[in-house]
Amino acid sequence: MEIFKSPEEMRGWAREQALSGKTISLVPTMGYFHEGHLSLMRLAAQQGDLVVVSLFVNPTQFGPNEDLDRYPRDFERDMTLVRQEKVAAVFAPTPESMYPQGFQTEVSVRNLAIYLCGRTRPGHFAGVTTVVSKLFNIVQPDVAVFGEKDFQQLAIIRRMVCDMNIPVRIVSLPIVREADGLAMSSRNANLDPANRVAALSLSTALYLARERCRQGVTSVVELTKILEAHILSFAGTAIDYASFVDSETLEPMTVVDERTVLALAVRIDGKVRLIDNGYVIPKPTN
Ligand code: AMP
């Protein structure tokens, strides 16, 4: 397995592979791998000849008061895990090589980025779309694989690829969960045992919304009241948002239907911000 630290080396290798007729599937990540990341790598391996995993904790998608410094990192652990997968190359650049002095370009998607995480994390999605554009230009993949856990990010990247005629096919993977329902996340490593219990407020809220909806409660006002009370019944939780949105436009909905996604962001103990989401009326494949 190759490990590249500079965009030039990564690009040179990727170009050689393309010239020899190989297709590339890219899995963009911020590292500290869990089963969700490894599942993305396995899906990527089914989609092309060679898998490239990028590992970059992108500073421009973190706000000044966010957890950039506390974001879990362990390069050696990650390399041990990734070597067990069918991964041809890891791209792990430094912030300086991605954002050299004089850098001043931003790629941003307008409407989809104003809702949900876009409201509470200003500038976050511009950071994401800028770095993903750079990764696409450096690796020139045929396919890129993203998780549905970051549901808004996925919608924004699909929009960007379509709008900018980027020749990359976007493939998505459903949320990978722990046995008790918690959506896997690198940030779960920052949860102490009490906070790990509070973290279940998200997935159980989703299951509760589904149950109430099956029982006939489809008013978003009603459901929101129920869910807020449920989430706040866990010690140390603060709701960033609990929104019922249209799966494509991300606009808020008033009555639940087949297109409605419940999107959740909850702060645990003021320290760890977790997200989760799912269709309120589950798709047959969910
Ligand atoms: P991250 O390293 O957290 O930036 O995530 C890298 C990729 O893994 C993104 O496409 C995420 O959506 C995806 N991902 C993270 N957690 C999960 C999960 N529990 N299930 C599925 N995909 C995930």
Side-chain angles (χ1 to χ4, degrees), residues 36-55:
H37 293 115
L38 304 180
S39 303
L40 287 175
M41 294 172 202
R42 289 168 204 151
L43 179 59
Q46 294 167 11
Q47 305 289 324
D49 299 320
L50 300 172
V51 176
V52 174
V53 174
S54 65
L55 194 171

Side-chain angles (χ1 to χ4, degrees), residues 27-37 39-40 56 61 71 145-151 153 173-177 182-187:
V27 182
T29 81
M30 298 206 298
Y32 211 76
F33 296 144
H34 52 67
E35 199 54 36
H37 293 115
S39 303
L40 287 175
F56 182 55
Q61 67 190 69
Y71 198 84
V145 185
F146 292 88
E148 292 167 17
K149 160 135 183 297
D150 296 85
F151 148 81
Q153 167 177 285
L173 178 84
I175 299 177
V176 178
R177 297 180 180 279
L182 177 67
M184 290 194 184
S185 165
S186 306
R187 288 187 169 97

Side-chain angles (χ1 to χ4, degrees), residues 218-220 253-257 260:
T218 57
S219 150
V220 163
M253 300 186 76
T254 53
V255 177
V256 169
D257 67 20
T260 311

Side-chain angles (χ1 to χ4, degrees), residues 112-251:
L112 291 172
I114 63 181
Y115 303 107
L116 307 173
C117 291
R119 276 181 52 194
T120 50
R121 302 186 70 187
H124 168 68
F125 286 116
V128 170
T129 39
T130 302
V131 80
V132 170
S133 308
K134 285 174 66 73
L135 292 170
F136 285 175
N137 285 330
I138 294 164
V139 178
Q140 308 232 330
D142 301 273
V143 176
V145 185
F146 292 88
E148 292 167 17
K149 160 135 183 297
D150 296 85
F151 148 81
Q152 185 175 17
Q153 167 177 285
L154 177 61
I156 287 172
I157 287 167
R158 284 194 198 280
R159 186 76 254 162
M160 174 185 82
V161 163
C162 174
D163 289 354
M164 299 309 291
N165 309 89
I166 301 176
V168 178
R169 187 161 61 84
I170 304 298
V171 173
S172 75
L173 178 84
I175 299 177
V176 178
R177 297 180 180 279
E178 302 285 357
D180 62 4
L182 177 67
M184 290 194 184
S185 165
S186 306
R187 288 187 169 97
N188 293 349
N190 289 339
L191 296 169
D192 65 25
N195 295 342
R196 175 66 180 72
V197 173
L200 282 178
S201 59
L202 291 96
S203 54
T204 54
L206 174 60
Y207 304 148
L208 181 60
R210 287 177 175 164
E211 191 186 320
R212 289 288 175 271
C213 184
R214 264 199 314 273
Q215 292 165 345
V217 186
T218 57
S219 150
V220 163
V221 170
E222 281 295 299
L223 286 169
T224 305
K225 261 192 234 154
I226 296 168
L227 295 194
E228 287 183 352
H230 173 79
I231 293 167
L232 296 175
S233 73
F234 288 78
T237 53
I239 299 171
D240 199 343
Y241 59 75
S243 303
F244 292 83
V245 301
D246 181 291
S247 60
E248 271 169 37
T249 64
L250 308 187
E251 284 167 13

Side-chain angles (χ1 to χ4, degrees), residues 148 210 247-248 257-261 278-286:
E148 292 167 17
R210 287 177 175 164
S247 60
E248 271 169 37
D257 67 20
E258 284 72 22
R259 295 163 64 98
T260 311
V261 166
Y279 280 93
V280 182
I281 302 171
K283 304 272 161 216
T285 50
N286 273 14

